[in-house]
């Protein structure tokens, strides 16, 4: 069982679930961090899937693409499916860990959402500038074609949302009415997804911040009178 | 093997639709570089020769499939924008139509695979050019609508940023629906997102739209 430690997590959030991973103690992920070299290697492997096909790619192909050996790959992943699951975990853990930690630093809703939006932009732009995760959506689409992986992807997405919705629920007293919390949380989840795509489309740093700031007007409009930021 | 009908004047036969729908799955499973037009024809239930009658290469097929994905949405969006004169009603109709089409795709068990085409465009210049053309066209449509309605806005300087904001929301809606968010919740999200527009309008939301059918979902 492999779990990713979450820095700065407080007991205000639901307990973290862990996924049954297949990585050994030689796992190159340490404290939830993946070296830039390994991020590039994972991305190269997804490129192999895209060009050679998930069905036809072998663990050997992945070893060549990642610049490692077949032994190394086989030591960590018994199958291509396990590789995909690990690549998904890598992507989500990196974002979720960081975003949860930012979320936990702010007790009030508006500063929390603002900080998470800005952090998300920074992380996404960092990845875009480094040229990693360029084929993330292909990986997600491959995963969609496998029922087990698809289920795991949904669980990961849900887990990320749970913490975010929890923050809105926790701070619902700041909102005009209690029942706005879920729809607002989903609205911001939509904004995150949209921002992630706009980063891939090459939207400028400045424009990304403008989008985040516009979206924050929605939250400001739902806050009870007297709560200003 | 069924014969595949011709694609004429932009009208796509059900067989061609199946071909476009299946080709992305073949690209993913057999590989964009490794697969053949025969593989794609087989997956779509028509012969490789039939596919070759219409497409001389995978690049051409991939670009056509991407265009088909795009037209499916943009035709509706364009119509909705043309049907609604004020910016609030136009954007509301665009968001609702987008949600409806995407949810129909999901309910019909057709995947939402447009992102894979975008990733393919990063390794294929021909597809990239096609993608850029479609993306620019879509962006201009939304931007033009905002320009047409600029008198409704408090500040002209908001035109571009508001247009990009809605493009961002639409991209987000696509992903949320793809990963199983219930469609009724997506309508609520669309309404939340429209709150930003209302705040930037001189007179806010037009009264006639209050309590519209979709809003009560």
């Amino acid at each position: 069982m492999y779990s990713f430690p979450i820095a700065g997590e407080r007991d205000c959030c639901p307990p973290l679930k862990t996924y049954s991973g297949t990585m050994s103690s030689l796992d190159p992920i340490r404290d939830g961090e993946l070296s830039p070299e390994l991020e590039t290697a994972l991305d190269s492997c997804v490129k192999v899937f895209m060009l050679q096909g998930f069905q036809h790619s072998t663990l050997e192909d992945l070893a060549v693409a990642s610049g490692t050996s077949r032994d190394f790959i086989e030591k960590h992943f018994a199958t291509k499916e396990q590789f995909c699951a690990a690549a998904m975990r890598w992507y989500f853990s990196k974002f979720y860990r960081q975003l949860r930690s930012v979320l936990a630093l702010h007790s009030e809703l508006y500063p929390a959402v603002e900080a998470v939006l800005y952090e998300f932009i920074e992380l996404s732009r960092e990845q875009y500038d480094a040229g990693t995760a360029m084929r993330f959506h292909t990986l997600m689409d491959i995963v969609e074609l496998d029922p087990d992986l698809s289920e795991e992807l949904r669980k990961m997405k849900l887990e990320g949302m749970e913490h975010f919705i929890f923050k809105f629920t926790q701070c619902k007293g700041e909102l005009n009415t209690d029942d706005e919390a879920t729809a607002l949380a989903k609205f911001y989840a939509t904004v995150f997804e949209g921002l992630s795509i706009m980063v891939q489309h090459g939207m400028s740093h400045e424009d990304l911040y403008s989008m985040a700031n516009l979206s924050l007007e929605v939250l400001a409009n739902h806050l009870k009178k007297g709560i200003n930021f | 093997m069924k014969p595949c009908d011709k694609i004429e004047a932009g009208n796509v036969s059900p067989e061609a639709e199946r071909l476009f729908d299946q080709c992305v799955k073949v690209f993913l499973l057999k590989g964009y570089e490794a697969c053949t037009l025969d593989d794609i024809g087989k997956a779509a239930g028509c012969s490789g020769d039939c596919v070759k009658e219409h497409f001389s290469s995978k690049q051409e097929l991939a670009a056509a499939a991407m265009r088909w994905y795009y037209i499916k949405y943009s035709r509706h969006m364009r119509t909705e924008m043309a049907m609604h004169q004020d910016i609030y009603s136009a954007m509301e109709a665009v968001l609702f139509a987008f949600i409806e089409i995407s949810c129909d795709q999901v309910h019909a068990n057709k995947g939402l695979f447009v992102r894979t085409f975008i990733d393919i465009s990063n390794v294929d210049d021909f597809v990239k050019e096609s993608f850029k053309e479609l993306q620019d066209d879509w962006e201009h449509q939304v931007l033009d609508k905002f320009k047409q309605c600029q008198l409704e806005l408090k500040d002209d300087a908001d035109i571009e940023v508001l247009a990009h904001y809605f493009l961002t929301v639409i991209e987000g809606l696509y992903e949320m629906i793809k990963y199983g968010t219930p469609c009724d919740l997506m309508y609520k999200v669309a309404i939340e997102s429209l709150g930003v527009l209302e705040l930037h309008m001189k007179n806010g939301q037009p009264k006639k739209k209050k309590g519209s059918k979709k809003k009560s979902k």
Side-chain angles (χ1 to χ4, degrees):
Chain A
M1 181 77 78
Y2 190 89
S3 65
F4 296 101
I6 310 298
E9 181 149 21
R10 295 174 181 177
D11 55 2
C12 60
C13 299
L16 268 179
K17 288 173 194 156
T18 53
Y19 296 105
S20 53
T22 52
M23 293 176 166
S24 70
S25 56
L26 295 173
D27 195 340
I29 302 173
R30 292 274 177 254
D31 297 330
E33 291 290 349
L34 203 63
S35 70
E37 292 78 16
L38 202 60
E39 285 194 5
T40 307
L42 281 173
D43 201 49
S44 302
C45 292
V46 179
K47 189 175 180 183
V48 169
F49 287 149
M50 186 168 89
L51 297 177
Q52 302 306 316
F54 183 69
Q55 276 176 349
H56 294 155
S57 306
T58 62
L59 289 175
E60 181 121 26
D61 293 330
L62 300 185
V64 172
S66 60
T68 57
S69 67
R70 189 185 169 131
D71 281 352
F72 177 86
I73 291 283
E74 284 180 352
K75 205 177 274 178
H76 292 88
F77 316 106
T79 63
K80 287 178 284 185
E81 286 77 9
Q82 285 180 2
F83 173 84
C84 281
M88 278 195 300
R89 275 197 298 274
W90 150 67
Y91 183 86
F92 285 113
S93 70
K94 179 178 176 168
F95 273 74
Y96 288 167
R97 180 173 45 83
Q98 194 72 12
L99 298 180
R100 276 183 209 134
S101 129
V102 169
L103 203 59
L105 284 170
H106 300 273
S107 58
E108 288 167 313
L109 193 55
Y110 189 97
V113 175
E114 181 184 52
V116 171
L117 279 168
Y118 292 172
E119 183 67 22
F120 184 81
I121 290 171
E122 290 303 320
L123 284 172
S124 304
R125 277 294 307 200
E126 203 178 281
Q127 212 159 35
Y128 177 76
D129 292 340
T132 54
M134 293 300 283
R135 280 158 281 274
F136 170 71
H137 293 288
T138 295
L139 175 68
M140 298 296 107
D141 283 351
I142 289 169
V143 160
E144 279 289 291
L145 298 175
D146 181 290
D148 293 337
L149 286 174
S150 169
E151 185 52 34
E152 186 158 354
L153 171 61
R154 269 173 180 67
K155 275 188 203 161
M156 286 185 202
K157 288 229 165 210
L158 270 179
E159 189 199 323
M161 268 311 289
E162 263 175 30
H163 288 259
F164 200 57
I165 292 175
F166 185 78
K167 188 74 184 179
F168 277 83
T169 314
Q170 194 184 30
C171 301
K172 64 185 179 188
E174 297 175 35
L175 301 173
N176 287 327
T177 56
D178 289 0
D179 58 0
E180 293 167 333
T182 305
L184 272 175
K186 290 281 181 186
F187 165 70
Y188 283 102
T190 305
V191 172
F192 286 125
E193 296 284 5
L195 287 173
S196 159
I197 300 298
M198 295 319 252
V199 168
Q200 297 287 324
H201 289 345
M203 186 180 260
S204 73
H205 213 246
E206 194 188 343
D207 285 349
L208 291 166
Y209 275 91
S210 295
M211 298 303 109
N213 291 337
L214 268 187
S215 76
L216 284 164
E217 292 180 11
V218 171
L219 180 55
N221 211 29
H222 281 274
L223 292 175
K224 276 181 183 159
K225 278 183 186 168
I227 302 177
N228 294 311
F229 294 98
Chain B
M1 300 259 181
K2 286 181 187 172
C4 94
D5 291 352
K6 294 199 173 201
I7 304 160
E8 282 171 350
N11 289 320
V12 176
S13 67
E15 286 77 11
E17 273 205 39
R18 196 161 54 241
L19 184 68
F20 292 151
D21 198 43
Q22 289 298 317
C23 77
V24 68
K25 291 179 190 166
V26 177
F27 290 153
L28 289 168
L29 294 174
K30 291 187 184 290
Y32 184 61
E33 230 170 46
C35 74
T36 64
L37 286 175
D38 287 326
D39 293 329
I40 298 165
K42 198 176 167 188
C46 62
S47 72
D49 285 345
C50 177
V51 178
K52 286 170 202 162
E53 254 179 53
H54 302 290
F55 306 101
S56 59
S57 64
K58 278 179 286 180
Q59 281 86 351
E60 234 181 64
L61 174 58
M66 190 165 66
R67 189 169 289 275
W68 166 72
Y69 260 98
Y70 168 80
I71 288 172
K72 202 159 45 172
Y73 283 92
S74 72
R75 264 188 191 166
H76 282 84
M77 310 285 121
R78 206 186 289 264
T79 311
E80 293 293 348
M81 281 198 276
M83 277 171 60
H84 297 86
Q85 284 194 326
D86 68 275
I87 193 66
Y88 189 97
S89 308
M91 285 301 114
E92 182 186 57
V94 162
L95 294 180
F96 288 172
F98 188 88
I99 293 169
E100 202 166 339
I101 303 167
S102 303
C103 289
D104 285 350
Q105 282 280 111
V106 169
H107 292 146
N109 280 326
K110 290 182 178 173
L112 298 172
F113 289 116
V114 81
R115 305 287 179 228
T116 287
F117 285 115
I118 298 170
D119 285 357
I120 287 173
S121 77
N122 285 323
V123 292
D124 187 320
D125 288 343
F126 182 79
V127 180
K128 188 169 196 153
E129 205 176 306
S130 204
F131 168 65
K132 189 153 183 350
E133 223 175 83
L134 298 173
Q135 199 191 12
D136 288 349
D137 181 62
W138 174 226
E139 188 177 326
H140 283 130
Q141 277 186 54
V142 179
L143 203 52
D144 286 348
K145 189 69 191 177
F146 271 92
K147 283 178 184 164
Q148 272 170 34
C149 302
Q150 59 181 295
L151 291 175
E152 297 176 44
L153 301 176
K154 287 177 186 166
D155 188 348
D156 289 359
D158 291 339
I159 291 175
E160 208 160 310
V161 74
L162 282 170
H164 284 124
Y165 164 77
F166 279 102
L167 291 166
T168 306
V169 168
I170 286 170
E171 296 286 3
L173 290 172
Y174 185 88
E175 293 297 304
M176 294 294 281
I177 294 167
K178 177 175 177 166
Y179 294 110
T181 310
C183 293
D184 55 347
L185 198 46
M186 295 321 298
Y187 286 109
K188 286 183 184 164
V189 166
I191 292 163
E192 290 296 349
S193 70
L194 285 160
V196 169
L197 179 56
E198 201 169 359
L199 290 167
H200 287 257
M201 290 171 70
K202 285 176 188 160
N203 301 314
Q205 180 187 357
K207 279 183 182 162
K208 62 186 169 74
K209 293 304 290 180
K210 281 190 174 168
S212 73
K213 196 166 69 177
K214 289 267 169 49
K215 283 185 174 187
S216 62
K217 278 196 174 210

